Amino acid sequence: MHFISEDLEDYVANHSQNEPELLAKLNKETYQKILQPRMLSGHFQGRVLSMLSKIINPENILEIGTYTGYATLCLAEGMAKNGSIDTIDLNEELFDFQKKYFDLSEWRNQIVQHLGSGIDIIPTLNKKYDLVFIDADKENYINYFHLIVPIMNKGGIILSDNVLWSGKVVEELDPKDTSTKILVEYNQLLNNDTRVETVLLPIRDGLTVSRVL
C-alpha cells in the first residue's frame, strides 16, 4: 500500500543515503530467487533502520524474523564494536542464504543465527538488549512484546514492522483475519502499556518505535 505517491516515494529514496553494495546484491538476489521478495525491508526502510541503530549504538540487538538478512545487516551498521545480533527465523530453507551474506559482511563473527520459533528461543537468551526489531508472524506480536520487555535495558528501543498492515488496521475487520485483529490489539497495547512510550511512523507498511521506560 502506498501512503504517498510512487513519485514521492522515489524522491524520498533518491534523497536518502545509498544502500551499501553488499545490500544491493542481497536485494537483487532476493528478488531473483526467494518467494515473497516484498517482505524485504528494502533501500529506504533499511536506511531508516541503519540510522536508528547508529543513533542508539546498541551493544546487543535482537531480531525476530530474519527473512534474507537485509534488515539484520542494516541494524548491524550501528552496533557497538563489541556488540552482537541474535536473529531468529523459522525458515530453515533461508538459513544458508542468510549466512552467505552475513559471512560476506564485517559483522560475520557478531551475528548469531537461531533457527526455530521466537516463542521458544527468546526465553533461552541470556542477555539484556538495547535494540529489538520485530518483523515475524503477526499472530505472535503481543507474545513477543511481553517476552521482550523484561530483557530490555532501560531506554532500549523496540521496533515493530508492518503495524499498518496495508491499511487494514483502519478498515472493517474480517472476523477470519487473525493477523489484522492481533495487529490492532498490538497497536493499542503499545500505546497504553506504561512500560513503554511509543510513536507510530507511516514508513512503508508502518514502523513503531517504542522506548522502554
Side-chain angles (χ1 to χ4, degrees), residues 168-184:
K168 292 180 183 179
V169 291
V170 295
E171 296 173 357
E172 185 176 350
L173 183 64
D174 179 348
K176 298 178 183 177
D177 187 352
T178 305
S179 294
T180 302
K181 178 178 181 292
I182 293 296
L183 283 171
V184 169

Side-chain angles (χ1 to χ4, degrees), residues 50-174:
S50 169
M51 182 67 75
L52 289 171
S53 184
K54 288 171 181 173
I55 292 169
I56 299 163
N57 190 219
E59 182 173 346
N60 292 322
I61 302 172
L62 173 60
E63 179 184 41
I64 308 169
T66 316
Y67 190 49
T68 57
Y70 190 99
T72 321
L73 293 173
C74 293
L75 295 169
E77 293 177 30
M79 181 170 55
K81 282 189 176 181
N82 62 336
S84 67
I85 299 180
D86 291 289
T87 184
I88 303 169
D89 204 279
L90 267 173
N91 192 340
E92 60 183 303
E93 293 180 2
L94 291 177
F95 189 90
D96 291 339
F97 186 100
Q98 300 158 6
K99 191 173 189 305
K100 177 175 77 170
Y101 280 93
F102 295 161
D103 286 347
L104 289 170
S105 78
E106 61 186 277
W107 307 285
R108 64 184 68 86
N109 297 320
Q110 295 166 274
I111 299 174
V112 182
Q113 293 171 270
H114 300 270
L115 184 60
S117 164
I119 300 299
D120 298 327
I121 292 170
I122 293 168
T124 72
L125 301 173
N126 189 26
K127 291 180 185 175
K128 283 281 193 176
Y129 291 94
D130 307 296
L131 176 60
V132 174
F133 182 43
I134 306 175
D135 187 17
D137 53 315
K138 311 313 164 193
E139 291 84 357
N140 272 312
Y141 266 37
I142 292 173
N143 295 326
Y144 293 142
F145 177 77
H146 288 306
L147 286 172
I148 287 164
V149 172
I151 60 172
M152 296 288 296
N153 284 317
K154 185 176 180 180
I157 299 295
I158 300 170
L159 304 174
S160 309
D161 201 15
N162 304 119
V163 291
L164 294 179
W165 208 227
S166 299
K168 292 180 183 179
V169 291
V170 295
E171 296 173 357
E172 185 176 350
L173 183 64
D174 179 348

Side-chain angles (χ1 to χ4, degrees), residues 3-15:
F3 296 102
I4 59 175
S5 71
E6 292 190 48
D7 287 342
L8 274 175
E9 284 188 347
D10 290 341
Y11 184 88
V12 168
N14 291 334
H15 289 79

